[in-house]
Amino acid sequence: MKEKSSYTASDIKVLEGLEGVRKRPAMYIGSTGKEGLHHLVYEVVDNSVDEALAGFCKKIVVSINKDGSITVEDDGRGIPVDIHPTLKIPAVEVALTRLHAGGKFDKKVYMISGGLHGVGVSVVNALSEKLVVEVKRDGSIYMQEYAQGKPISKLKVIGKTENTGTKITFWPDPEIFSVLNFDYNILETRFREIAFLTPGLKIILIDNIKNKKTEIFSSLGLIEFVKWLNESKEVLHKPIYLKKEQGNLIIEVAIQYNNTYQENIFGFVNTINTVEGGTHISGFKTALTRVINDYAKKSNLLKNIKEESLTGDDVREGLTAIVSLKMPDPQFEGQTKTKLGNSDIKGIVDSVVSQSLSEFFEENPLIAKKITLKVLDSARARIAAKKAKELVRRKNAFSLSGLPGKLADCSSRKKEETELYIVEGESAGGSAKMARDKERQAVLPLKGKIINVEKASPTKSLSSEEVANIITAIGTGVGENFDISKVRYSKIIIMTDADVDGSHIKTLLLTFFYRFMPQLIENGYIYVSVPPLYRIRKNKDIYVYSDEELKKYVNNESSAEVTRFKGLGEMSSEQLWETTMNPKTRKIKKIYIEDAVEADKTFSMLMGDDVLSRKNFIQENAQEATLDV
Ligand code: 0RA
């Protein structure tokens, strides 16, 4: 996708100042919490990605710095520095101080930049207490500094160079953000997506605080993306890859079935992850169902089951797929603006995928047959399970209220103030029931490990007693019947021991939520509690949450008496209240969809047949697992 470099500074539109951004930051970046903070990085990186898509940038280096700043450096053409004809300031200053400035975006066919709304780097500048830009261009290195979006120096030449590129370092403003630390895993997950969607671009993530580094590069794009997603699963065939350019659309699809029961479809529009789906995903699903049904009928395989046709669920069992669309002017809808709304896209994707996939099936009958037989298996299981499901579900003990007998519910019916604690183990569950604020906090103890939702079929998972209890306590139902308005609590907090078993159960539960109630994660309902690891006895008890923190205390005062908590069950109910349940003093961590995706992968690895990655994981995490997930 080469575009010609016909840029002039006058292309840049001047819209409005940046005061509005500081007044209402959430309007521009979604929130001023963790998500908003990370959005700043995406905003800067997306500009470099645009430069890569235009064919001028091969490498982006993102560094988390010790002083709390982030540096994004690319080897693109460099933001232009010529003087704007009416504003009489360098174009780079215009780009950094004017909202929506950046003439290049207006002319581009694919407005890929800008993550959420394509708001641009000026928004990052406005929300940073300091920002330094360095541009390498025309033989010189230029530099300029800003504070809260305003220049505090002129653009200066600070050296000579033969290279080109842009380097932006910014310090998020503590006056704006409630959270200031960057999460390596969240950034890595997003950069991995970008790398798979922009083959040929190398992204390097460096954490100068934890001394970590990841290099991400994909030469085959979506094909490698599905392979990576299926890494610890047994796959049925090589990835199927379809690509079609139609008018000003580019549609790319990669498909690979594995032997699990789960469906994993990821959609991207202009590299933005459309978590809530949309018309491109509907079009894809319709096409897939039709093509497989047609193939099953044509090859006389359908007669093996006593059904007219295969359902959408049948064809998506064990499916991993990526649908990536590049298009001008996408309309994003939904709660988190991640649902594609353009209505014409459904039909277009449907017809493109139908045609290319049936062609592929014609040319690759072995793969087509393998997939169809797997889908027929799913259909057979569905039919058989229908009756069994009803029977099994009745086994669960529910109290008169219809709620699980084990649930100690809270008395308040004001949803917005209530919380559900899901607690590992009956004994910790008992302490939590004693410790809790009975009005606002409900407690559901779990008996050991919940059922393995990946190895078991969906029907079996849903009918296990522990899972049924969780579903009933939460109230929303699952799958197609999920209804968020029926949720019975405003927070659902997973409370497990700070040890390997605890982190394992946490992984299981997160996988369960991700698979069956992803909307709860997307809407910020799911949390994990962070129980302390140690108590230090002084005139007052001090609770310590990590080994690093403990070292600090122990170095400073050697006389302190230190107790290690082996598990939640060991704490008195006062201690449990103080450290883990009292909203004023406890620590809890909100779960984001990236955390759940990670848990899901970890989970497949821990539970799956892939012994090698399981072994590596356990070795690498043996220490860390006792601290955190
Ligand atoms: C406007 C025009 C040109 C490049 C860029 C912006 C540009 C912006 C960013 C932001 C981060 N990295 C970037 N790299 C490039 C094209 C200038 C030309 O015609 O040479």
Side-chain angles (χ1 to χ4, degrees):
M1 238 194 299
K2 283 255 179 197
E3 74 170 22
K4 58 178 190 308
S5 314
S6 58
Y7 169 86
T8 62
S10 60
D11 285 331
I12 290 173
K13 269 198 218 147
V14 180
L15 289 169
E16 52 171 303
L18 294 178
E19 301 77 34
V21 179
R22 289 185 61 85
K23 278 203 197 104
R24 270 172 277 123
M27 263 190 54
Y28 295 89
I29 54 162
S31 82
T32 53
K34 191 171 171 179
E35 261 161 305
L37 183 79
H38 288 78
H39 192 81
L40 297 182
V41 186
Y42 307 153
E43 207 60 68
V44 179
V45 169
D46 283 349
N47 286 294
S48 304
V49 172
D50 272 358
E51 195 59 6
L53 289 166
F56 299 103
C57 163
K58 290 259 157 289
K59 187 168 92 177
I60 304 173
V61 183
V62 181
S63 316
I64 303 172
N65 303 317
K66 283 195 175 132
D67 63 2
S69 65
I70 285 264
T71 302
V72 178
E73 181 167 14
D74 70 50
D75 60 358
R77 289 168 293 179
I79 307 179
V81 293
D82 50 334
I83 301 295
H84 189 279
T86 53
L87 295 167
K88 312 284 186 214
I89 54 172
V92 55
E93 184 174 332
V94 177
L96 277 153
T97 55
R98 308 296 144 118
L99 207 51
H100 282 268
K104 112 173 169 156
F105 305 141
D106 287 350
K107 281 201 256 124
K108 286 187 58 168
V109 184
Y110 303 111
M111 203 196 77
I112 288 162
S113 75
L116 202 57
H117 306 110
V119 287
V121 280
S122 61
V123 167
V124 178
N125 196 13
L127 301 177
S128 296
E129 66 175 342
K130 185 178 162 193
L131 181 146
V132 179
V133 63
E134 263 183 54
V135 173
K136 291 186 198 141
R137 237 186 117 95
D138 314 325
S140 300
I141 307 174
Y142 300 83
M143 193 270 282
Q144 189 172 23
E145 293 184 305
Y146 306 81
Q148 300 189 334
K150 298 195 180 80
I152 52 172
S153 71
K154 290 210 143 85
L155 185 71
K156 286 185 266 209
V157 174
I158 57 161
K160 286 187 185 168
T161 181
E162 291 183 352
N163 302 327
T164 62
T166 305
K167 177 164 146 186
I168 291 175
T169 302
F170 64 94
W171 289 254
D173 195 338
E175 285 176 23
I176 305 277
F177 292 95
S178 58
V179 188
L180 290 163
N181 54 322
F182 291 95
D183 186 318
Y184 195 88
N185 293 334
I186 291 183
L187 293 178
E188 186 185 333
T189 304
R190 174 64 190 141
F191 295 160
R192 205 176 286 285
E193 282 172 10
I194 293 175
F196 282 130
L197 295 163
T198 321
L201 172 65
K202 181 183 277 185
I203 304 179
I204 302 176
L205 175 61
I206 299 172
D207 188 335
N208 288 315
I209 300 170
K210 295 189 179 143
N211 284 324
K212 277 204 276 190
K213 179 173 170 180
T214 308
E215 275 197 39
I216 311 166
F217 176 83
S218 169
S219 52
L220 300 178
L222 295 197
I223 295 176
E224 284 168 344
F225 202 164
V226 281
K227 273 193 181 168
W228 184 79
L229 288 166
N230 277 336
E231 194 175 65
S232 50
K233 293 169 185 161
E234 203 175 296
V235 296
L236 261 61
H237 56 89
K238 286 192 187 140
I240 301 171
Y241 174 73
L242 315 167
K243 178 172 182 178
K244 183 100 197 232
E245 301 201 31
Q246 180 146 326
N248 47 15
L249 298 179
I250 304 174
I251 301 164
E252 272 181 285
V253 174
I255 296 169
Q256 190 181 38
Y257 280 86
N258 60 55
N259 73 343
T260 73
Y261 297 92
Q262 258 64 49
E263 124 179 20
N264 250 327
I265 303 176
F266 292 94
F268 296 89
V269 174
N270 299 348
T271 77
I272 295 164
N273 189 340
T274 46
V275 175
E276 296 172 280
T279 47
H280 56 322
I281 299 297
S282 319
F284 168 72
K285 288 180 176 174
T286 310
L288 185 74
T289 309
R290 180 180 324 104
V291 172
I292 295 181
N293 265 296
D294 287 353
Y295 190 86
K297 271 185 204 130
K298 216 176 64 188
S299 45
N300 246 335
L301 292 166
L302 206 54
K303 65 173 192 323
N304 294 336
I305 57 164
K306 298 181 200 78
E307 284 284 290
E308 292 287 296
S309 59
L310 303 159
T311 69
D313 286 333
D314 295 338
V315 305
R316 294 193 299 271
E317 227 181 78
L319 169 72
T320 299
I322 320 268
V323 179
S324 170
L325 188 66
K326 304 263 167 67
M327 64 179 292
D329 201 21
Q331 313 283 269
F332 292 111
E333 302 171 346
Q335 291 241 351
T336 55
K337 293 272 174 284
T338 55
K339 181 175 181 179
L340 184 68
N342 305 54
S343 52
D344 51 334
I345 294 296
K346 181 177 190 296
I348 299 174
V349 173
D350 179 357
S351 82
V352 165
V353 173
S354 286
Q355 207 190 348
S356 329
L357 189 60
S358 30
E359 266 170 37
F360 179 92
F361 276 11
E362 290 305 321
E363 289 159 18
N364 300 273
L366 287 180
I367 297 180
K369 191 163 178 199
K370 227 174 189 174
I371 292 174
T372 309
L373 289 177
K374 149 103 182 159
V375 171
L376 285 165
D377 265 350
S378 309
R380 230 175 266 123
R382 161 174 60 86
I383 299 156
K386 221 166 164 179
K387 292 167 200 158
K389 185 171 168 182
E390 283 310 307
L391 287 174
V392 184
R393 288 207 71 154
R394 301 200 197 291
K395 275 206 316 224
N396 305 313
F398 292 110
S399 65
L400 282 178
S401 61
L403 290 168
K406 283 210 274 171
L407 174 74
D409 208 6
C410 50
S411 54
S412 168
R413 289 274 74 87
K414 284 188 214 135
K415 199 189 287 188
E416 61 284 357
E417 63 176 27
T418 63
E419 306 174 339
L420 172 65
Y421 270 87
I422 301 178
V423 183
E424 169 191 3
E426 308 268 359
S427 101
S431 305
K433 283 184 189 175
M434 304 241 292
R436 73 196 170 121
D437 166 359
K438 290 195 169 53
E439 198 181 328
R440 298 188 184 83
Q441 296 179 318
V443 171
L444 180 65
L446 287 187
K447 192 168 40 182
K449 292 188 182 177
I450 67 159
I451 185 155
N452 177 341
V453 287
E454 178 150 344
K455 281 256 154 143
S457 71
T459 321
K460 205 169 152 215
S461 307
L462 286 171
S463 55
S464 96
E465 189 185 328
E466 300 297 307
V467 168
N469 283 347
I470 295 173
I471 297 168
T472 325
I474 292 174
T476 54
V478 287
E480 277 165 26
N481 302 321
F482 182 91
D483 179 356
I484 197 136
S485 72
K486 296 212 177 106
V487 67
R488 301 184 60 250
Y489 308 95
S490 69
K491 285 194 176 74
I492 294 154
I493 304 169
I494 300 171
M495 182 159 107
T496 58
D497 285 336
D499 60 11
V500 178
D501 273 356
S503 91
H504 201 155
I505 291 170
K506 206 157 35 180
T507 305
L508 276 162
L509 284 170
L510 291 183
T511 304
F512 163 73
F513 284 121
Y514 172 64
R515 293 295 187 183
F516 290 106
M517 303 168 150
Q519 302 92 332
L520 286 182
I521 301 173
E522 277 149 29
N523 292 294
Y525 281 86
I526 308 291
Y527 293 78
V528 296
S529 71
V530 185
L533 294 179
Y534 303 99
R535 181 190 59 202
I536 302 179
R537 206 140 251 167
K538 289 188 57 204
N539 35 8
K540 203 172 156 274
D541 284 352
I542 300 168
Y543 296 102
V544 176
Y545 293 82
S546 72
D547 283 328
E548 284 150 38
E549 209 186 326
L550 178 72
K551 266 186 218 139
K552 276 187 225 152
Y553 279 107
V554 176
N555 287 346
N556 291 346
E557 40 216 291
S558 49
S559 65
E561 178 194 331
V562 180
T563 314
R564 186 186 167 97
F565 290 115
K566 294 222 188 62
L568 296 163
E570 253 187 24
M571 288 187 213
S572 70
S573 46
E574 288 78 20
Q575 283 171 344
L576 195 61
W577 167 249
E578 193 61 24
T579 61
T580 326
M581 298 185 80
N582 180 352
K584 294 211 175 77
T585 51
R586 73 184 174 195
K587 283 197 180 194
I588 56 175
K589 185 176 150 216
K590 192 176 192 166
I591 294 300
Y592 293 86
I593 203 79
E594 293 87 352
D595 299 319
V597 171
E598 197 54 34
D600 186 66
K601 272 185 69 77
T602 307
F603 177 85
S604 304
M605 214 155 72
L606 285 170
M607 293 294 155
D609 314 307
D610 185 346
V611 182
L612 192 65
S613 29
R614 183 166 63 217
K615 216 168 101 191
N616 288 340
F617 176 83
I618 292 169
Q619 277 165 3
E620 279 169 28
N621 291 273
Q623 237 111 50
E624 240 176 281
T626 58
L627 296 180
D628 200 357
V629 156

